[in-house]
Amino acid sequence: MKQTVLTRYRVMAYITAVWLLVFTGAIVMKYGFDTGDTMLISQIHGVLFIVYVIFAFDLGSKAKWPFGKLLWVLAAGCIPFASFFVEPKVTREARALIAGEPAAATADA
């Protein structure tokens, strides 16, 4: 696994999390205070979430995560504030895998 896979995931995790918060705020404004429209914000978040799912799935498949862990990481993109807690943990685990790969490759040779 390369560092770029992790970087792509991290960037999209934060972007998606911020847009989810913006979308949540827009929903509260629309239905709580009868102001604003959520169409554009929801469409932007939807596209960003699809990219997030692709990058998270790519990271999970390269890190050989079990299916349950992959589902949890994907669900974090749907729960406001969850990505801000899940992403650092995923990053620590992925960095350990990235750092351990050269040693594993040398041991196999």
Side-chain angles (χ1 to χ4, degrees):
M1 179 172 42
K2 295 181 181 179
Q3 180 65 35
T4 56
V5 174
L6 177 60
T7 302
R8 287 187 314 210
Y9 163 76
R10 292 185 71 205
V11 168
M12 285 312 301
Y14 283 118
I15 290 173
T16 303
V18 168
W19 271 101
L20 180 58
L21 293 176
V22 170
F23 183 42
T24 302
I27 292 289
V28 168
M29 293 300 292
K30 180 178 180 179
Y31 293 107
F33 301 101
D34 200 28
T35 61
D37 185 21
T38 61
M39 182 61 71
L40 180 62
I41 294 171
S42 66
Q43 289 176 347
I44 292 171
H45 173 68
V47 169
L48 291 172
F49 183 71
I50 290 169
V51 175
Y52 168 77
V53 166
I54 292 168
F55 288 165
F57 185 78
D58 184 38
L59 177 64
S61 65
K62 289 184 171 125
K64 296 182 178 30
W65 289 342
F67 188 68
K69 181 174 183 171
L70 180 61
L71 284 179
W72 171 241
V73 171
L74 295 177
C78 300
I79 304 168
F81 295 107
S83 286
F84 296 111
F85 298 102
V86 173
E87 186 278 330
K89 182 178 179 186
V90 168
T91 299
R92 277 192 303 274
E93 293 173 7
R95 282 189 175 149
L97 285 173
I98 292 168
E101 279 186 356
T106 308
D108 291 340

